[in-house]
Amino acid sequence: TDLPHHVHYATAGVDTQGDRLEVEIVGWGTGDESWGIRYEVIYGDPAQQDVWRKLDALLLEKFWTNEGRLVRVRSACVDTGGHHAAQAIAFCKSRFSRNVFPIKGAGGPRPVWPKRASKTSVSRDNIYVVGVDTAKDAIYGRLRIANPGPGYCHIPEDYDDAWFEQITSESVVTRYKEGRPFRVWVLPSGKRNEALDCRVYAFAARMSLSEAMTKPSTVKTERVEIPPATIAAQSETKPETKIVSTAPRIGRRMRSRGVFR
């Protein structure tokens, strides 16, 4: 099924794990109303090029609204934490013109998207420090919005229970240092939070865009009008198919079919 016509553009958040990449593509509309478009798990060793080639194909994938307008990923944030920072930075560096950014999360009261990049301590490559606590505050607040409109999160019906458990896995607690209270997000032992991290990074990617970059595309697909009699004849021989994207399928989990809550 095609995307709702309210979707103007998309961003992606990529969480780097030891044996896989987890990716969410999120569509955005007026007032940052959002739509989960795709959640993929790309299995493989991030030290090798295969998973990065598959990620590149996913980020280049084309999506279409139900009125035939093109929606593409305009920015992506790739986590550089863990043991594969060099590979993540190299992937982003060659795709900087596509707004594919290497990021690192940092807690505390800081903006979601920094004013400028920082330098890594060893390679001196640019890296963007994302205010993950601020992003989580915003995402949790938006998940509480009950009615479609600004800030509302549309979740595809085939996002499974694991996704919901992960995106709501953390909570805020108050701790004290030298008698002064401070807030900190905590992940309980045994819980996973990859879905939350991916949504945080996709949100950071959205915040990296200028206003001009958030306007809907003017590119539209060609729609060929088929006479009703022809459609009826075709339906007797084979079911109608509709191509939503052109990229090859990747090892996946929680793939959106475009039906939203």
Side-chain angles (χ1 to χ4, degrees):
T1 303
D2 295 332
L3 300 175
H5 71 275
H6 302 288
V7 181
H8 294 172
Y9 63 97
T11 64
V14 183
D15 185 41
T16 306
Q17 296 290 322
D19 61 349
R20 67 194 185 280
L21 303 177
E22 300 212 13
V23 189
E24 187 181 24
I25 296 176
V26 180
W28 302 92
T30 302
D32 281 352
E33 189 171 4
S34 66
W35 289 260
I37 295 177
R38 178 80 64 79
Y39 197 103
E40 296 274 0
V41 180
I42 306 174
Y43 290 101
D45 183 359
Q48 306 300 320
Q49 286 300 309
D50 186 53
V51 293
W52 298 103
R53 282 193 292 267
K54 291 177 179 178
L55 173 62
D56 195 42
L58 179 59
L59 297 181
L60 289 171
E61 192 163 344
K62 297 178 181 179
F63 303 93
W64 303 93
T65 67
N66 51 24
E67 61 181 11
R69 182 171 41 77
L70 176 65
V71 173
R72 300 192 73 165
V73 172
R74 293 189 181 172
S75 179
C77 285
V78 181
D79 170 38
T80 63
H83 303 294
H84 302 290
Q87 289 83 359
I89 290 172
F91 177 84
C92 297
K93 193 172 184 178
S94 61
R95 293 162 180 82
F96 183 77
S97 62
R98 286 165 40 195
N99 297 321
V100 179
F101 300 113
I103 62 97
K104 181 178 181 180
R110 62 172 64 231
V112 175
W113 190 251
K115 292 182 178 180
R116 61 184 64 86
S118 301
K119 295 288 186 181
T120 58
S121 58
V122 178
S123 64
R124 307 303 294 168
D125 288 309
N126 284 337
I127 195 168
Y128 294 82
V129 180
V130 168
V132 292
D133 287 0
T134 307
K136 290 172 186 176
D137 284 336
I139 290 167
Y140 272 53
R142 293 175 180 192
L143 288 172
R144 297 187 184 97
I145 297 175
N147 299 309
Y152 183 83
C153 299
H154 297 263
I155 308 300
E157 289 186 347
D158 64 342
Y159 273 27
D160 64 12
D161 290 344
W163 187 88
F164 286 96
E165 291 171 2
Q166 290 181 26
I167 203 167
T168 58
S169 59
E170 297 190 18
S171 60
V172 177
V173 300
T174 300
R175 292 179 175 169
Y176 293 86
K177 184 176 182 179
E178 297 179 354
R180 296 182 179 180
F182 65 96
R183 300 168 72 251
V184 59
W185 285 85
V186 174
L187 177 67
S189 177
K191 294 281 188 177
R192 292 173 53 185
N193 64 348
E194 290 94 316
L196 176 58
D197 284 345
C198 287
R199 181 57 67 104
V200 164
Y201 303 154
F203 181 53
R206 179 267 168 272
M207 298 302 290
S208 74
L209 295 172
S210 66
E211 184 177 352
M213 288 292 293
T214 64
K215 295 180 179 178
S217 169
T218 58
V219 177
K220 290 193 174 183
T221 184
E222 294 182 1
R223 301 269 177 169
V224 180
E225 294 295 330
I226 303 175
T230 303
I231 295 176
Q234 290 177 345
S235 65
E236 293 178 0
T237 58
K238 62 179 181 179
E240 179 185 1
T241 59
K242 183 180 291 184
I243 297 176
V244 177
S245 66
T246 56
R249 292 192 176 188
I250 302 167
R252 61 180 174 78
R253 179 190 66 185
M254 299 182 282
R255 183 185 179 103
S256 168
R257 292 187 294 271
V259 181
F260 300 90
R261 292 184 173 90

